[in-house]
Amino acid sequence: MNHRQKTAFGAYLVGEIKKAEMSQEEFYTAVGIKKPYFYDLLTATPPPTVLQDKIASVLDEKTGADDIRRKRLYDLAAEGRSEIPADIAKLIKDNPAKLDMIRKTLNELLAAQG
């Protein structure tokens, strides 16, 4: 049997499912996806933003809200998708009038880091 190696997102997600004391089948059923797609998420490209939100919500329902876990899921998914993390993209999208302020603040933070 050919086993594909889990991505950083996939490995983290499996650990969080275990912490939530759910079986993988319970988890992917609660998220609303099928088994083959679930395994693709673990070993290939992480899910799109809408599914990232659903994954975080299912875990939150089982263990309580966890901002650190949510941010880590977003960060790992973004890394695997070569995108900006979903929560940061949403902040930018929801505040188009503040794009200049966002640019200025990011540039100042990065410059201060040297």
Side-chain angles (χ1 to χ4, degrees), residues 3-50:
H3 291 283
R4 298 184 291 177
Q5 185 162 344
K6 290 178 184 68
T7 62
F9 176 86
Y12 184 75
L13 181 57
V14 166
E16 293 302 306
I17 293 167
K18 286 178 183 175
K19 286 180 190 175
E21 298 179 351
M22 297 178 79
S23 71
Q24 290 182 354
E25 183 177 8
E26 285 177 296
F27 177 77
Y28 65 71
T29 300
V31 171
I33 60 175
K34 301 287 184 194
K35 183 178 183 176
Y37 184 52
F38 172 70
Y39 285 105
D40 283 346
L41 296 180
L42 300 181
T43 60
T45 304
T49 301
V50 172

